[in-house]
């Protein structure tokens, strides 16, 4: 066998290898650049979310599939009878969390009996209330033919219903996630064919344990309709519908106006609370310095409760101005270059933008008022604590005055007790064998003289 089984590398071999690597590296760079240039020509779609077709924001196929289902998950026959879906009763199929594996539009087996869906349209005299999305599907399909603006208010949506609504209205999964998890942050986001607005309201019942706790209302503003979601019963949707019915003769109902009405109604609910805080702060500021000590027992509690309410309102109002400002900015911006976005994205009229500016002014004024009231309550709190400190100092001074007088009295009585103690010992003392009262009156005279001199001395030093 040859001993040179592996020949050593030479300098030329290193140079050839380096040249080959350089060529491969340059070829890879050129390929990546060509791919980048080609990718800029067409926007790649989201792999998790398919954009809606042009001039279409509602999926008719999904709505038609919902019509074939009844409220209990049974498939309807043409003759009116129902039968159990074979996919649902198959023992080999497992539930995926959104209904049956083969039919994902089956509703949840347990649905609250309340009417959680409210459908309002400009052509209807009143709102239509249903218990589930399946009952509302025929109304939505009928409205597609007349092409009128409509509004669907949804209370306590379930995960299955959110999945159905996501497929029907082409809602982005991130929006669905924010609604399902009750996103706490207030914001305004723009998607290809709708605006997503998260706005916070509160529980206005003063006897409720969740009083002034934030409750989210989520608004999806489309070109031809509006979807609203909230968890819990809120009066804002009913107030806006009542307002639209009242202005039916003079108002052209559009999605942007419905969004404005909701924001305006939520903002107006803060006005009575801020007015009450104003009266409370003014009364505290006036009474904190004139009430007597016996009348100030609950003053600290009133100040603390008022400041707590102000902090809660500040937390609810601090981000609303930015949300409205962002919505105004979106309305004032020019249409995008993308054809899909240009045709499907909702528009906000100039008149509605003016009304949104009025809401922003109210929010800014409320925030300024709350900051001003917070400063006044902080000053009242400081004044109250200072007055308590002054009263405590006065009480301590009075106690010290009494103690000084008692000390002066003790300084007078101690020498007198010393003298009487000396003459009261069981030993021989001066005047012990005198039969008259000369020594007695002499001792008493000395004691009274000492008392008089001590009193004069203390008076001269203003001790007594």
């Amino acid at each position: 066998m040859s001993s040179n089984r592996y020949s050593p590398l030479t300098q030329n071999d290193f140079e050839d290898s380096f040249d080959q690597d350089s060529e491969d590296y340059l070829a890879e760079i050129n390929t990546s650049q060509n791919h980048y240039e080609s990718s800029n020509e067409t926007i790649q779609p989201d792999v998790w979310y398919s954009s809606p077709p042009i001039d279409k924001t509602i999926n008719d196929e999904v709505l038609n599939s919902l019509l074939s289902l009844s409220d209990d998950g049974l498939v309807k026959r043409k003759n009116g009878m129902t039968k159990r879906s074979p996919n649902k009763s198959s023992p080999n199929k497992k539930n995926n969390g959104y209904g049956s594996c083969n039919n994902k539009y089956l509703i949840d087996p347990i649905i609250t009996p309340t009417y959680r869906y409210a459908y309002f349209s400009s052509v209807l005299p009143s709102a239509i209330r249903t218990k589930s999305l399946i009952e509302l599907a025929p109304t939505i399909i009928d409205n597609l033919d007349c092409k009128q603006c409509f509004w669907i208010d949804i209370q306590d949506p379930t995960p299955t219903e959110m999945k159905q609504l996501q497929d029907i209205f082409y809602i982005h999964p991130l929006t669905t996630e924010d609604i399902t998890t009750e996103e706490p942050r207030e914001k305004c986001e723009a998607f290809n064919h709708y605006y997503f607005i998260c706005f916070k309201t509160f529980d206005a019942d003063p006897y409720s344990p969740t009083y002034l706790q934030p409750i989210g209302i989520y608004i999806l503003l489309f070109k031809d309709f509006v979807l609203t979601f909230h968890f819990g019963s809120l009066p804002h949707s009913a107030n806006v519908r009542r307002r639209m019915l009242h202005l039916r003769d003079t108002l052209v109902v559009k999605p942007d106006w419905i969004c404005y009405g909701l924001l305006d109604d939520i903002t107006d609910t803060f006005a009575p609370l801020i007015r009450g805080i104003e009266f409370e702060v003014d009364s505290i500021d006036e009474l904190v310095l004139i009430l007597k000590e016996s009348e100030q027992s609950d003053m600290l509690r009133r100040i603390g409760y008022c400041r707590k309410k102000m902090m809660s309102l500040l937390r609810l109002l601090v981000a609303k101005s930015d949300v409205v400002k962002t919505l105004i900015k979106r309305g004032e911006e020019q249409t995008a270059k993308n054809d899909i976005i240009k045709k499907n994205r909702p528009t906000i009229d100039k008149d509605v933008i003016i009304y949104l500016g009025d809401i922003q002014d109210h929010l800014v004024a409320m925030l300024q008022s709350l900051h001003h009231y917070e400063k006044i309550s902080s000053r009242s709190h400081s004044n109250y604590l200072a007055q308590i400190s002054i009263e405590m100092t006065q009480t301590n001074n009075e106690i010290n005055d009494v103690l000084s007088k008692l000390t002066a009295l003790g300084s007078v009585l101690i020498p007198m007790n010393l003298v009487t103690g000396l003459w009261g010992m069981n030993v021989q003392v001066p005047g012990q064998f005198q039969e008259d009262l000369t020594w007695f009156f002499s001792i008493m005279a000395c004691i009274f003289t000492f008392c008089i001199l001590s009193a004069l001395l203390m008076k001269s030093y203003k001790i007594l």
Side-chain angles (χ1 to χ4, degrees), residues 111-169:
I111 295 182
T112 54
T114 58
Y115 292 90
R116 298 181 296 110
Y117 285 79
Y119 179 90
F120 184 86
S121 177
S122 57
V123 298
L124 297 177
S126 62
I128 299 176
R129 298 182 179 273
T130 61
K131 297 180 181 180
S132 64
L133 180 60
I134 294 177
E135 297 178 1
L136 193 61
T139 306
I140 300 176
I141 293 178
D142 295 339
N143 189 83
L144 296 179
D145 299 332
C146 59
K147 295 183 180 181
Q148 293 292 332
C149 171
F150 65 91
W151 170 25
I152 302 177
D153 181 64
I154 306 166
Q155 177 182 344
D156 300 328
T158 61
T160 302
E161 293 172 340
M162 288 303 304
K163 178 62 178 177
Q164 295 171 2
L165 292 168
Q166 175 183 336
D167 294 336
I168 293 173
F169 300 105

Side-chain angles (χ1 to χ4, degrees), residues 237-256:
S237 301
N239 294 339
V240 175
R241 288 194 296 268
R242 193 181 304 111
R243 183 178 178 184
M244 287 190 296
L245 292 174
H246 181 70
L247 301 175
R248 178 186 295 273
D249 298 334
T250 59
L251 175 66
V252 178
V253 178
K254 294 182 179 180
D256 53 353

Side-chain angles (χ1 to χ4, degrees), residues 271-286 306 309-310 313 369-370 372-374 376:
L273 290 177
I274 295 179
R275 194 177 302 112
I277 288 177
E278 179 183 2
F279 295 150
E280 181 70 9
V281 168
D282 291 340
S283 63
I284 289 175
D285 190 43
E286 294 177 359
C306 184
K309 185 183 291 186
M310 281 189 287
L313 292 178
S369 300
L370 284 177
H372 177 66
Y373 301 150
E374 171 62 21
I376 295 177

